[in-house]
């Protein structure tokens, strides 16, 4: 009997103002990284880098500048 592995696809929501093309590219990269984790394709050093990249892809881009208290 054959065993089939099927993972559910990740759901990537668009960020405010994000173009459809950018969302597709970002979503594809997220899917590739998640699949790499699921199948154990990364060495420990690569996994750390991929985890950081995944986190950055899932955070909306910063807009504007942060105000630093005490700054003039």
């Amino acid at each position: 009997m054959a065993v089939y592995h099927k993972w559910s696809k990740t759901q990537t929501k668009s960020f405010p103002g994000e173009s459809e093309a950018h969302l597709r590219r970002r979503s594809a990269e997220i899917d590739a990284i998640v699949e790499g984790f699921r199948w154990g394709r990364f060495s420990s050093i690569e996994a750390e880098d991929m985890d950081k990249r995944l986190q950055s892809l899932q955070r909306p881009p910063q807009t504007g500048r942060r105000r630093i208290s005490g700054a003039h």
Side-chain angles (χ1 to χ4, degrees):
M1 182 180 193
V3 176
Y4 296 95
H5 295 280
K6 183 169 180 165
W7 299 97
S8 59
K9 227 172 138 68
T10 59
Q11 296 294 316
T12 305
K13 295 184 179 181
S14 64
F15 298 136
E18 182 176 32
S19 70
E20 188 67 30
H22 188 266
L23 173 61
R24 281 193 305 272
R25 285 191 304 272
R26 188 170 61 83
S27 181
E29 188 173 356
I30 288 171
D31 287 342
I33 293 170
V34 169
E35 183 178 310
F37 278 117
R38 288 175 175 168
W39 291 101
R41 293 183 181 146
F42 304 125
S43 69
S44 60
I45 292 172
E46 289 173 319
E48 288 180 33
D49 291 341
M50 291 295 102
D51 186 47
K52 289 176 186 174
R53 179 63 181 151
L54 184 59
Q55 288 177 32
S56 74
L57 289 166
Q58 294 173 326
R59 261 193 316 264
Q62 293 290 328
T63 56
R65 294 178 64 183
R66 286 182 141 180
R67 188 175 182 114
I68 301 171
S69 62
H72 297 277

Coordinates of all heavy atoms in Angstrom, one line a residue:
M1 N 0.8 -1.2 0.0 CA 0.0 0.0 0.0 C 0.9 1.2 0.0 O 1.8 1.4 0.8 CB -0.9 0.0 1.2 CG -1.8 1.1 1.3 SD -2.8 0.8 2.8 CE -4.0 1.9 2.7
A2 N 0.7 2.1 -0.9 CA 1.5 3.3 -1.0 C 1.0 4.4 0.0 O -0.2 4.5 0.4 CB 1.3 3.9 -2.4
V3 N 2.0 5.1 0.5 CA 1.7 6.1 1.5 C 2.0 7.5 0.8 O 3.0 7.7 0.2 CB 2.6 6.0 2.7 CG1 2.4 7.1 3.7 CG2 2.4 4.6 3.4
Y4 N 1.0 8.3 0.9 CA 1.1 9.6 0.3 C 1.1 10.7 1.4 O 0.3 10.6 2.3 CB -0.1 9.9 -0.6 CG -0.1 9.0 -1.8 CD1 -0.9 7.8 -1.8 CD2 0.6 9.2 -2.9 CE1 -0.9 7.0 -2.8 CE2 0.6 8.4 -4.0 CZ -0.2 7.2 -4.0 OH -0.2 6.4 -5.0
H5 N 2.1 11.6 1.3 CA 2.2 12.7 2.2 C 1.6 13.9 1.6 O 2.0 14.3 0.5 CB 3.6 13.0 2.6 CG 4.2 11.9 3.4 ND1 4.0 11.6 4.7 CD2 5.1 10.9 3.0 CE1 4.7 10.6 5.1 NE2 5.3 10.1 4.1
K6 N 0.6 14.5 2.2 CA 0.0 15.7 1.7 C -0.1 16.8 2.8 O -0.7 16.5 3.8 CB -1.3 15.5 1.1 CG -1.9 16.7 0.4 CD -3.2 16.4 -0.4 CE -3.7 17.7 -0.9 NZ -4.6 17.5 -2.0
W7 N 0.6 17.9 2.6 CA 0.6 19.0 3.6 C -0.4 20.0 3.1 O -0.5 20.2 1.9 CB 2.0 19.6 3.7 CG 3.0 18.7 4.1 CD1 3.9 18.0 3.4 CD2 3.4 18.4 5.5 NE1 4.8 17.3 4.1 CE2 4.5 17.5 5.4 CE3 2.8 18.8 6.7 CZ2 5.1 17.0 6.6 CZ3 3.4 18.3 7.9 CH2 4.5 17.4 7.8
S8 N -1.1 20.6 4.0 CA -2.0 21.7 3.6 C -1.1 22.9 3.2 O -0.1 23.1 3.7 CB -2.9 22.0 4.7 OG -2.2 22.5 5.8
K9 N -1.6 23.6 2.2 CA -0.9 24.8 1.7 C -1.0 25.9 2.7 O -2.0 26.0 3.4 CB -1.5 25.2 0.4 CG -0.4 25.5 -0.6 CD -1.1 25.8 -2.0 CE -0.5 26.9 -2.7 NZ 0.8 26.8 -3.2
T10 N 0.0 26.7 2.8 CA -0.1 27.9 3.7 C -1.0 28.9 3.2 O -1.2 29.0 1.9 CB 1.3 28.5 4.0 OG1 1.8 28.9 2.7 CG2 2.3 27.5 4.6
Q11 N -1.6 29.7 4.0 CA -2.5 30.8 3.6 C -1.7 32.1 3.9 O -1.5 32.4 5.0 CB -3.8 30.8 4.4 CG -4.6 29.5 4.2 CD -5.2 29.5 2.8 OE1 -5.6 30.5 2.2 NE2 -5.1 28.3 2.2
T12 N -1.4 32.8 2.8 CA -0.7 34.1 2.9 C -1.6 35.2 2.6 O -2.2 35.2 1.5 CB 0.6 34.1 2.0 OG1 1.4 32.9 2.3 CG2 1.4 35.3 2.2
K13 N -1.8 36.1 3.5 CA -2.7 37.2 3.3 C -1.9 38.4 2.8 O -0.7 38.6 3.2 CB -3.5 37.6 4.5 CG -4.4 36.5 5.0 CD -5.2 36.9 6.2 CE -6.2 35.8 6.5 NZ -7.0 36.1 7.7
S14 N -2.5 39.2 2.0 CA -1.8 40.4 1.5 C -1.7 41.5 2.5 O -2.5 41.6 3.4 CB -2.5 41.0 0.2 OG -3.7 41.4 0.6
F15 N -0.6 42.3 2.4 CA -0.4 43.4 3.3 C -1.1 44.6 2.6 O -1.3 44.6 1.4 CB 1.1 43.7 3.4 CG 1.9 42.6 4.1 CD1 3.1 42.3 3.6 CD2 1.4 42.0 5.2 CE1 3.9 41.3 4.2 CE2 2.2 41.0 5.8 CZ 3.4 40.7 5.3
P16 N -1.5 45.6 3.4 CA -2.1 46.8 2.8 C -1.2 47.4 1.7 O 0.0 47.6 1.9 CB -2.3 47.7 4.0 CG -2.3 46.9 5.2 CD -1.4 45.7 4.9
G17 N -1.8 47.6 0.6 CA -1.0 48.2 -0.5 C -0.1 47.3 -1.3 O 0.6 47.7 -2.2
E18 N -0.1 46.0 -1.0 CA 0.8 45.1 -1.7 C 0.2 44.7 -3.0 O -1.0 44.4 -3.1 CB 1.0 43.8 -0.8 CG 1.9 42.8 -1.4 CD 2.1 41.6 -0.5 OE1 1.2 41.2 0.3 OE2 3.2 41.1 -0.5
S19 N 1.0 44.7 -4.0 CA 0.5 44.3 -5.4 C 0.2 42.8 -5.4 O 0.8 42.0 -4.7 CB 1.5 44.7 -6.4 OG 2.6 43.9 -6.4
E20 N -0.6 42.4 -6.3 CA -0.9 41.0 -6.5 C 0.3 40.2 -6.9 O 0.6 39.1 -6.4 CB -2.0 40.8 -7.6 CG -2.5 39.4 -7.8 CD -3.3 38.9 -6.6 OE1 -3.9 39.7 -5.9 OE2 -3.3 37.7 -6.3
A21 N 1.2 40.8 -7.8 CA 2.4 40.1 -8.2 C 3.4 39.9 -7.0 O 4.0 38.8 -6.9 CB 3.1 40.9 -9.3
H22 N 3.5 40.9 -6.2 CA 4.4 40.8 -5.0 C 3.8 39.7 -4.0 O 4.6 38.9 -3.5 CB 4.5 42.1 -4.3 CG 5.6 42.1 -3.2 ND1 5.3 41.9 -1.9 CD2 6.9 42.3 -3.3 CE1 6.4 41.9 -1.2 NE2 7.4 42.1 -2.0
L23 N 2.5 39.7 -3.8 CA 1.9 38.7 -3.0 C 2.2 37.3 -3.5 O 2.6 36.4 -2.7 CB 0.4 38.9 -2.8 CG -0.4 37.9 -2.1 CD1 0.1 37.7 -0.6 CD2 -1.8 38.1 -2.1
R24 N 2.1 37.1 -4.8 CA 2.4 35.8 -5.4 C 3.8 35.4 -5.1 O 4.1 34.2 -4.8 CB 2.0 35.8 -6.9 CG 0.5 35.6 -7.1 CD 0.3 35.3 -8.6 NE 0.9 36.2 -9.5 CZ 0.3 37.3 -10.0 NH1 -0.9 37.6 -9.6 NH2 0.9 38.1 -10.8
R25 N 4.7 36.3 -5.3 CA 6.2 36.0 -5.1 C 6.5 35.7 -3.7 O 7.2 34.7 -3.3 CB 7.1 37.1 -5.6 CG 7.2 37.2 -7.1 CD 8.3 38.2 -7.6 NE 8.1 39.5 -7.0 CZ 7.4 40.5 -7.6 NH1 6.8 40.3 -8.7 NH2 7.3 41.7 -7.0
R26 N 5.9 36.5 -2.8 CA 6.1 36.3 -1.3 C 5.5 35.0 -0.9 O 6.1 34.2 -0.1 CB 5.5 37.5 -0.6 CG 5.8 37.6 0.9 CD 5.4 38.9 1.5 NE 4.0 39.2 1.4 CZ 3.1 38.7 2.3 NH1 3.4 38.0 3.3 NH2 1.8 39.0 2.1
S27 N 4.3 34.7 -1.4 CA 3.6 33.5 -1.0 C 4.4 32.3 -1.5 O 4.5 31.3 -0.7 CB 2.2 33.5 -1.6 OG 1.5 32.3 -1.2
A28 N 4.9 32.3 -2.7 CA 5.7 31.2 -3.2 C 7.0 31.0 -2.4 O 7.3 29.8 -2.1 CB 6.1 31.5 -4.7
E29 N 7.6 32.0 -2.0 CA 8.8 31.9 -1.2 C 8.5 31.3 0.2 O 9.2 30.5 0.7 CB 9.6 33.2 -1.0 CG 10.9 33.1 -0.4 CD 11.8 34.3 -0.4 OE1 11.4 35.4 -1.0 OE2 12.8 34.3 0.2
I30 N 7.4 31.8 0.8 CA 7.0 31.3 2.1 C 6.7 29.8 1.9 O 7.1 29.0 2.8 CB 5.7 32.0 2.6 CG1 6.1 33.4 3.1 CG2 5.1 31.2 3.7 CD1 5.0 34.3 3.4
D31 N 6.0 29.4 0.9 CA 5.6 28.0 0.7 C 6.9 27.1 0.5 O 7.0 26.0 1.1 CB 4.7 27.8 -0.6 CG 3.3 28.2 -0.3 OD1 2.9 28.4 0.8 OD2 2.6 28.5 -1.3
A32 N 7.9 27.6 -0.2 CA 9.1 26.9 -0.4 C 9.9 26.7 0.9 O 10.4 25.6 1.2 CB 10.0 27.6 -1.4
I33 N 9.9 27.7 1.7 CA 10.6 27.6 3.0 C 9.9 26.6 3.9 O 10.5 25.8 4.6 CB 10.8 29.0 3.7 CG1 11.7 29.9 2.9 CG2 11.3 28.9 5.1 CD1 11.7 31.4 3.3
V34 N 8.6 26.8 4.0 CA 7.8 25.9 4.9 C 8.0 24.4 4.4 O 8.2 23.5 5.2 CB 6.3 26.3 4.9 CG1 5.4 25.2 5.6 CG2 6.1 27.6 5.6
E35 N 7.9 24.2 3.1 CA 8.1 22.8 2.6 C 9.5 22.3 3.0 O 9.7 21.1 3.3 CB 7.9 22.8 1.1 CG 8.0 21.4 0.5 CD 7.8 21.4 -1.0 OE1 6.8 22.0 -1.4 OE2 8.6 20.8 -1.7
G36 N 10.5 23.2 2.9 CA 11.8 22.8 3.3 C 11.9 22.3 4.7 O 12.6 21.4 5.1
F37 N 11.2 23.1 5.6 CA 11.2 22.7 7.0 C 10.4 21.3 7.2 O 10.9 20.5 7.9 CB 10.5 23.7 7.9 CG 11.4 24.8 8.3 CD1 11.2 26.1 7.8 CD2 12.5 24.6 9.1 CE1 12.1 27.2 8.2 CE2 13.4 25.6 9.5 CZ 13.2 26.9 9.0
R38 N 9.3 21.2 6.5 CA 8.5 20.0 6.6 C 9.3 18.7 6.2 O 9.1 17.7 6.8 CB 7.2 20.1 5.8 CG 6.2 21.1 6.4 CD 5.0 21.3 5.5 NE 4.0 22.1 6.2 CZ 3.0 22.6 5.6 NH1 2.8 22.4 4.3 NH2 2.1 23.4 6.2
W39 N 10.1 18.9 5.2 CA 10.8 17.7 4.7 C 12.3 17.6 5.2 O 13.0 16.8 4.8 CB 10.8 17.7 3.2 CG 9.4 17.4 2.7 CD1 8.5 18.3 2.2 CD2 8.8 16.1 2.7 NE1 7.3 17.7 1.9 CE2 7.5 16.3 2.2 CE3 9.1 14.8 3.0 CZ2 6.6 15.3 2.0 CZ3 8.2 13.8 2.9 CH2 7.0 14.0 2.4
G40 N 12.6 18.5 6.1 CA 14.0 18.5 6.8 C 15.1 18.7 5.8 O 16.1 18.1 5.8
R41 N 14.9 19.7 4.9 CA 15.9 19.9 3.8 C 17.0 20.9 4.2 O 17.9 21.1 3.5 CB 15.2 20.5 2.6 CG 14.3 19.5 1.9 CD 13.6 20.1 0.7 NE 12.7 19.1 0.1 CZ 11.6 19.4 -0.5 NH1 11.3 20.7 -0.7 NH2 10.9 18.5 -1.0
F42 N 16.9 21.5 5.4 CA 17.9 22.5 5.8 C 18.8 22.0 6.9 O 18.4 21.3 7.8 CB 17.2 23.8 6.3 CG 16.2 24.4 5.4 CD1 14.9 24.6 5.8 CD2 16.6 24.8 4.1 CE1 14.0 25.2 4.9 CE2 15.7 25.3 3.2 CZ 14.4 25.6 3.6
S43 N 20.1 22.3 6.8 CA 21.0 22.1 7.8 C 20.7 23.0 9.0 O 19.9 23.9 8.8 CB 22.5 22.3 7.4 OG 22.7 23.7 7.2
S44 N 21.3 22.8 10.1 CA 20.9 23.7 11.3 C 21.2 25.2 11.0 O 20.5 26.0 11.4 CB 21.6 23.2 12.6 OG 23.0 23.3 12.4
I45 N 22.3 25.4 10.3 CA 22.7 26.8 10.0 C 21.7 27.4 9.0 O 21.2 28.5 9.2 CB 24.1 26.9 9.5 CG1 25.1 26.6 10.7 CG2 24.4 28.3 8.9 CD1 26.5 26.5 10.2
E46 N 21.4 26.6 8.0 CA 20.4 27.1 7.0 C 19.1 27.3 7.6 O 18.4 28.2 7.3 CB 20.3 26.0 5.9 CG 21.5 25.9 4.9 CD 21.3 24.7 4.0 OE1 20.9 23.7 4.4 OE2 21.7 24.9 2.8
A47 N 18.7 26.4 8.5 CA 17.4 26.5 9.2 C 17.3 27.8 9.9 O 16.2 28.5 9.9 CB 17.2 25.3 10.1
E48 N 18.3 28.2 10.6 CA 18.3 29.5 11.3 C 18.1 30.7 10.3 O 17.2 31.6 10.6 CB 19.6 29.7 12.1 CG 19.7 28.9 13.3 CD 21.0 29.1 14.1 OE1 21.5 30.2 14.1 OE2 21.5 28.1 14.7
D49 N 18.8 30.6 9.2 CA 18.6 31.7 8.2 C 17.2 31.7 7.6 O 16.6 32.7 7.4 CB 19.7 31.5 7.1 CG 21.1 31.8 7.6 OD1 21.2 32.5 8.6 OD2 22.1 31.4 6.9
M50 N 16.7 30.5 7.3 CA 15.4 30.3 6.7 C 14.3 30.8 7.7 O 13.3 31.4 7.3 CB 15.2 28.9 6.2 CG 16.0 28.4 5.1 SD 15.6 29.4 3.5 CE 17.0 30.5 3.5
D51 N 14.5 30.5 8.9 CA 13.5 30.9 9.9 C 13.5 32.5 10.0 O 12.4 33.1 10.0 CB 13.9 30.4 11.3 CG 12.8 30.7 12.3 OD1 11.6 30.5 12.0 OD2 13.2 31.1 13.5
K52 N 14.6 33.1 10.0 CA 14.7 34.6 9.9 C 14.0 35.1 8.7 O 13.3 36.1 8.7 CB 16.1 35.1 10.0 CG 16.7 34.9 11.4 CD 18.2 35.3 11.4 CE 18.8 34.9 12.8 NZ 20.3 35.2 12.8
R53 N 14.3 34.5 7.5 CA 13.7 34.9 6.3 C 12.2 34.8 6.3 O 11.5 35.7 5.9 CB 14.3 34.2 5.1 CG 13.8 34.6 3.8 CD 14.0 36.0 3.4 NE 13.4 36.3 2.1 CZ 13.0 37.5 1.8 NH1 13.1 38.5 2.6 NH2 12.5 37.7 0.6
L54 N 11.7 33.6 6.8 CA 10.3 33.4 6.9 C 9.6 34.4 7.8 O 8.6 35.0 7.4 CB 10.1 32.0 7.5 CG 8.6 31.5 7.6 CD1 8.0 31.5 6.2 CD2 8.6 30.1 8.2
Q55 N 10.2 34.8 8.9 CA 9.7 35.8 9.8 C 9.6 37.1 9.1 O 8.6 37.8 9.2 CB 10.5 35.9 11.1 CG 10.3 34.7 12.0 CD 11.2 34.8 13.2 OE1 11.5 35.9 13.7 NE2 11.7 33.7 13.7
S56 N 10.6 37.5 8.3 CA 10.6 38.8 7.6 C 9.5 38.8 6.5 O 8.9 39.8 6.3 CB 12.0 39.1 7.1 OG 12.3 38.3 5.9
L57 N 9.3 37.7 5.9 CA 8.3 37.6 4.9 C 6.9 37.7 5.4 O 5.9 38.1 4.7 CB 8.4 36.3 4.1 CG 9.6 36.2 3.1 CD1 9.8 34.8 2.7 CD2 9.4 37.1 1.9
Q58 N 6.7 37.3 6.7 CA 5.4 37.3 7.3 C 5.0 38.6 8.0 O 3.9 38.8 8.5 CB 5.2 36.1 8.2 CG 5.3 34.8 7.5 CD 5.3 33.6 8.4 OE1 5.9 33.6 9.5 NE2 4.7 32.5 8.0
R59 N 6.0 39.5 8.1 CA 5.8 40.8 8.8 C 5.6 41.8 7.7 O 6.3 41.9 6.8 CB 7.1 41.2 9.6 CG 7.0 40.9 11.0 CD 8.2 41.6 11.8 NE 9.4 41.5 11.1 CZ 10.4 40.6 11.4 NH1 10.2 39.7 12.3 NH2 11.5 40.6 10.7
P60 N 4.6 42.7 8.0 CA 4.4 43.8 7.0 C 5.6 44.7 7.0 O 6.2 44.9 8.0 CB 3.1 44.5 7.5 CG 2.7 43.8 8.7 CD 3.6 42.7 9.1
P61 N 5.9 45.3 5.8 CA 7.0 46.2 5.8 C 6.7 47.4 6.6 O 5.6 47.9 6.8 CB 7.1 46.6 4.3 CG 5.8 46.2 3.7 CD 5.2 45.1 4.6
Q62 N 7.8 48.0 7.2 CA 7.7 49.2 8.0 C 7.5 50.4 7.1 O 8.2 50.5 6.1 CB 9.0 49.4 8.9 CG 9.2 48.3 9.9 CD 8.2 48.4 11.0 OE1 7.7 49.5 11.4 NE2 7.8 47.3 11.6
T63 N 6.5 51.2 7.4 CA 6.3 52.4 6.7 C 6.6 53.6 7.6 O 6.2 53.6 8.7 CB 4.9 52.5 6.1 OG1 4.0 52.4 7.2 CG2 4.6 51.3 5.1
G64 N 7.2 54.6 7.0 CA 7.5 55.8 7.8 C 8.7 55.5 8.7 O 9.3 54.5 8.6
R65 N 8.9 56.5 9.5 CA 10.0 56.4 10.4 C 9.5 56.4 11.8 O 8.5 57.0 12.2 CB 10.9 57.7 10.3 CG 11.6 57.7 8.9 CD 12.4 58.9 8.8 NE 13.5 58.9 9.7 CZ 14.4 59.9 9.9 NH1 14.2 61.0 9.1 NH2 15.3 59.9 10.8
R66 N 10.2 55.6 12.7 CA 9.8 55.5 14.1 C 10.4 56.8 14.8 O 11.5 57.2 14.5 CB 10.5 54.3 14.7 CG 9.8 53.0 14.4 CD 10.5 52.0 15.1 NE 9.5 51.0 15.5 CZ 9.7 49.9 16.2 NH1 10.9 49.7 16.6 NH2 8.8 49.1 16.6
R67 N 9.6 57.3 15.7 CA 10.0 58.4 16.5 C 10.8 57.9 17.7 O 10.3 57.1 18.4 CB 8.8 59.2 16.9 CG 9.2 60.5 17.5 CD 8.0 61.3 17.8 NE 8.5 62.6 18.4 CZ 8.4 63.7 17.8 NH1 7.8 63.9 16.6 NH2 8.8 64.8 18.4
I68 N 12.0 58.4 17.9 CA 12.8 58.0 19.0 C 12.6 59.0 20.1 O 12.8 60.2 19.9 CB 14.3 57.9 18.7 CG1 14.5 56.9 17.5 CG2 15.1 57.6 19.9 CD1 15.8 56.8 16.9
S69 N 12.2 58.6 21.3 CA 11.9 59.6 22.4 C 13.2 60.3 22.7 O 14.3 59.7 22.7 CB 11.4 58.8 23.6 OG 12.3 57.9 24.1
G70 N 13.1 61.6 22.9 CA 14.3 62.4 23.3 C 14.9 63.0 22.0 O 15.8 63.8 22.2
A71 N 14.6 62.5 20.9 CA 15.2 63.0 19.6 C 14.5 64.3 19.2 O 13.3 64.5 19.4 CB 15.1 62.0 18.5
H72 N 15.2 65.2 18.6 CA 14.6 66.5 18.2 C 14.5 66.6 16.7 O 15.2 66.2 16.0 CB 15.5 67.7 18.7 CG 15.5 67.7 20.2 ND1 14.5 68.3 21.0 CD2 16.3 67.2 21.1 CE1 14.8 68.2 22.2 NE2 15.9 67.5 22.4

